Amino acid sequence: MKRAFHQNVRRVRIPSKLPSCRRTIVNPAADKEPLAEVTTLPNNIRVATDLMPGHFSSVGVYIDAGSRFEAPHLSGSSHIIDRMAFKSTSNQSSDDLSAMMNSLGGQIQCSSSRETIIYQSSHFHSSTPLALSLLSDTIKNSLYLEQEVEMQKEAAAYEIREITAKPELILPELLHQLAYQGNTLGNPLLCPEERLPLINGDTLREFVNTWYRPERIVIAGAGMPHQQLVELVDKYFGDMKYIPPPTVQPSLNSTRQQPTSHLVPPTMQSQSPSLYKSLTTAANSLFNPSPTPSTLPSFAELATAKAKYTGGHQFIYRPDLDMTHLYLAFDGVSIYDDDVYGLAIIQILLGGGGSFSAGGPGKGMYSRLYTYVLNHYSSIDHCASFHHIYTDTSLFGLNLVAHPHHQHGLSLPLLAHQLSLLLYHPIPETELNRAKNQLMSSLVMALESRAIEVEDLGRQVLVHGRKVTVQEMSEKISKVTNDDLRRIGKRVFGEGMHERGPTILAMGKKDIGDWQAVFRKYGLGRL
């Protein structure tokens, strides 16, 4: 939950050896929250810190890259790059890196998502220089040796098989591919199995050289003075040069010219069927026709492409499954939209969870899906709302998992009924206030973790260019009214619903039947 808002910004001069840096101190609620500072280095890398006392420090590198930006010939690269973090570099072997990481006495990790790739470390205050040097080395100097790449591809294949075997893990991935067919957020987050043999060191270097650009990087920290982090970032990342983005994408043939690198020294550039495979191969064939060199998108097209919601209905026949899985999703609002707060409150109102995990004070006991679905139907194992928020859209919806003896044809009407109540019946003030308080408390409690605080800071600066405080978000949440929720409901799953309709994904022995008739009955969508 992050949203831009009006603030006072004062600029101060930094008495340091970096005269061309731009430093901004952001503190709209100085008496309530710690000071956040942002400095832009000469090469356009942004450095952000938050005054957060504690015994540990955290620092992270947040890169505006991920699966949504992958060109077809680089599909799956961000997944493998995630696994290739902290392997051999031009300065040290993977064993040496591992030993140095263990000496930190903390945690260091890399993760990739649809819009961001993150390298992050939590460690003792005195280890910040070492941590930043390790992050810098793996980001700038990775060799992507053939043996190491092959090992990680094997590990990725195993990971894919494990995720595929669990519907609750693979279905959200397939839901995105269905909701955004053939574009941006519909690109596979997991490397498609048919792509694994095609990925090598050159593929990974091309992805890194294309997207690991200084203007797309934010380095955030907590537990150290701002000026100290600025100087360390300048020391370890200051040699990354800004290079105008390439305007022509390389061809698909094997003699493809590599993009000019701002990371790897010139001397290093020349070094060298499961269910998921069936599903993704079919989806890619249908939604992502193989491009020819002349149709490959340029860097500018990939970097600025907006998510195009397509919606759709797909049933995956799985007679081997005891449970029936159903996902119902809608085109939501972006992180920049004021309605994102209201939609988050709707998610809290609906709530839900598993039949053995939900319930209890503060654990969804009073949420609507728990009270009116899980409590009333013992044949339902899981029912919950979800909201995936992105920079230009979001995917909002509900999912349900039912036992074999659950009445066929009842699952979708149950979900539709709960959405209909939000459209046509006012929400009691007590229930609305409870949902607001739960949302605000979840924000505050999550940020008690230093690692989460730093990640939140890095992502906010990457998206908004500044930190959005909990105080500001809480004020936005508290202003949401009953009328706002009804208006947002109409916009997302009511009469203002996207013209492409909902996204419905079902897996099990039987499909859901006529979903349009269900929507008409409960007054959902465009009547």
Side-chain angles (χ1 to χ4, degrees):
M1 290 282 302
K2 311 172 187 78
R3 177 72 183 96
F5 76 112
H6 179 70
Q7 65 179 15
N8 294 321
V9 177
R10 67 183 176 89
R11 299 184 180 277
V12 298
R13 296 185 59 185
I14 306 175
S16 75
K17 61 180 181 180
L18 305 173
S20 56
C21 290
R22 301 189 302 277
R23 184 184 186 190
T24 302
I25 296 180
V26 180
N27 190 29
D31 59 329
K32 298 180 181 179
E33 296 194 45
L35 200 66
E37 298 182 63
V38 180
T39 294
T40 303
L41 298 184
N43 63 357
N44 287 327
I45 287 180
R46 286 163 289 175
V47 184
T49 58
D50 202 345
L51 293 180
M52 185 179 181
H55 300 290
F56 251 53
S57 293
S58 286
V59 65
V61 181
Y62 306 90
I63 304 172
D64 192 9
S67 61
R68 76 168 291 166
F69 301 107
E70 291 174 348
H73 71 287
L74 296 179
S75 177
S77 297
S78 55
H79 179 200
I80 304 303
I81 283 174
D82 174 346
R83 304 196 63 89
M84 285 299 298
F86 311 109
K87 299 300 185 289
S88 297
T89 71
S90 57
N91 295 323
Q92 48 206 335
S93 67
S94 59
D95 290 339
D96 291 338
L97 266 173
S98 179
M100 296 176 73
M101 288 164 58
N102 290 331
S103 71
L104 286 174
Q107 298 177 343
I108 190 166
Q109 62 182 357
C110 173
S111 64
S112 61
S113 64
R114 287 184 163 79
E115 293 188 320
T116 315
I117 296 179
I118 297 173
Y119 299 80
Q120 187 164 304
S121 172
S122 296
H123 46 266
F124 291 111
H125 296 312
S126 59
S127 298
T128 296
L130 174 59
L132 207 57
S133 71
L134 294 176
L135 298 179
S136 169
D137 199 22
T138 196
I139 290 171
K140 300 194 305 179
N141 305 315
S142 287
L143 294 178
Y144 303 115
L145 300 177
E146 180 180 357
Q147 181 180 4
E148 293 179 346
V149 172
E150 291 302 317
M151 289 180 61
Q152 293 309 311
K153 285 162 61 177
E154 291 177 6
Y158 174 79
E159 178 187 14
I160 291 169
R161 289 193 296 271
E162 287 295 298
I163 292 176
T164 302
K166 300 177 174 63
E168 67 274 12
L169 297 181
I170 192 61
L171 286 175
E173 165 67 9
L174 298 178
L175 184 73
H176 278 78
Q177 295 186 32
L178 180 61
Y180 305 97
Q181 297 169 23
N183 74 96
T184 57
L185 298 173
N187 292 344
L189 182 60
L190 299 173
C191 180
E193 280 195 88
E194 69 273 13
R195 282 283 307 161
L196 285 173
L198 305 177
I199 291 181
N200 53 35
D202 289 338
T203 310
L204 303 181
R205 275 187 286 272
E206 180 177 349
F207 181 87
V208 168
N209 293 340
T210 301
W211 296 105
Y212 283 33
R213 308 177 60 81
E215 72 275 13
R216 301 179 71 88
I217 293 176
V218 169
I219 299 178
M224 72 288 293
H226 181 75
Q227 187 58 32
Q228 177 191 2
L229 185 59
V230 169
E231 293 174 358
L232 287 172
V233 172
D234 182 62
K235 176 181 178 180
Y236 292 112
F237 290 88
D239 59 342
M240 293 180 67
K241 306 300 181 184
Y242 171 77
I243 298 174
T247 55
V248 179
Q249 192 73 11
S251 66
L252 278 172
N253 57 50
S254 59
T255 60
R256 176 168 60 244
Q257 181 182 1
Q258 298 292 333
T260 304
S261 174
H262 33 267
L263 300 176
V264 186
T267 56
M268 301 302 302
Q269 290 189 41
S270 60
Q271 295 188 16
S272 317
S274 67
L275 171 66
Y276 178 70
K277 181 176 182 179
S278 301
L279 293 174
T280 55
T281 300
N284 286 336
S285 300
L286 180 61
F287 305 137
N288 302 288
S290 298
T292 61
S294 61
T295 62
L296 281 173
S298 68
F299 172 86
E301 290 171 330
L302 291 168
T304 60
K306 299 297 183 182
K308 182 180 178 182
Y309 177 82
T310 59
H313 172 209
Q314 182 179 4
F315 171 61
I316 302 170
Y317 180 58
R318 287 289 303 274
D320 57 307
L321 292 181
D322 290 332
M323 302 287 193
T324 298
H325 298 258
L326 171 63
Y327 278 77
L328 171 64
F330 304 89
D331 183 39
V333 299
S334 80
I335 200 171
Y336 298 106
D337 195 310
D338 279 330
D339 284 347
V340 74
Y341 292 97
L343 197 53
I345 292 173
I346 290 176
Q347 182 199 0
I348 297 292
L349 278 168
L350 291 168
S355 57
F356 292 101
S357 62
K363 297 181 180 179
M365 178 178 181
Y366 297 105
S367 68
R368 293 190 169 195
L369 294 182
Y370 184 81
T371 304
Y372 301 114
V373 179
L374 288 167
N375 258 0
H376 287 252
Y377 297 90
S378 60
S379 57
I380 295 178
D381 182 72
H382 181 94
C383 187
S385 57
F386 59 85
H387 191 199
H388 304 289
I389 306 174
Y390 302 102
T391 54
D392 52 358
T393 187
S394 68
L395 196 61
F396 169 84
L398 312 172
N399 76 292
L400 181 148
V401 181
H403 288 277
H405 60 278
H406 182 68
Q407 181 181 341
H408 176 64
L410 183 60
S411 297
L412 184 60
L414 283 175
L415 301 183
H417 181 227
Q418 291 304 313
L419 296 176
S420 178
L421 290 175
L422 293 171
L423 291 177
Y424 301 107
H425 297 272
I427 301 167
E429 199 66 25
T430 301
E431 187 180 8
L432 177 57
N433 290 333
R434 181 169 59 235
K436 290 181 181 181
N437 288 333
Q438 287 178 335
L439 179 57
M440 289 187 283
S441 66
S442 67
L443 292 172
V444 174
M445 288 187 287
L447 294 177
E448 287 297 309
S449 164
R450 169 148 293 181
I452 294 178
E453 165 73 12
V454 170
E455 180 179 340
D456 187 67
L457 174 62
R459 287 179 180 273
Q460 289 197 29
V461 175
L462 196 64
V463 172
H464 299 296
R466 61 178 186 78
K467 177 183 178 179
V468 182
T469 67
V470 172
Q471 176 68 23
E472 302 161 42
M473 289 188 281
S474 296
E475 290 175 357
K476 295 273 189 179
I477 294 168
S478 63
K479 292 178 181 178
V480 175
T481 65
N482 219 315
D483 289 339
D484 290 330
L485 296 188
R486 189 177 296 108
R487 175 183 54 79
I488 295 169
K490 290 180 178 179
R491 175 182 176 184
V492 175
F493 45 83
E495 59 190 28
M497 185 175 67
H498 195 286
E499 61 183 7
R500 299 302 297 268
T503 300
I504 302 175
L505 178 63
M507 175 183 282
K509 296 183 178 69
K510 296 181 179 179
D511 200 0
I512 59 169
D514 186 356
W515 66 265
Q516 288 141 326
V518 173
F519 271 47
R520 286 193 297 269
K521 177 180 179 180
Y522 289 96
L524 300 181
R526 301 185 173 211
L527 304 178

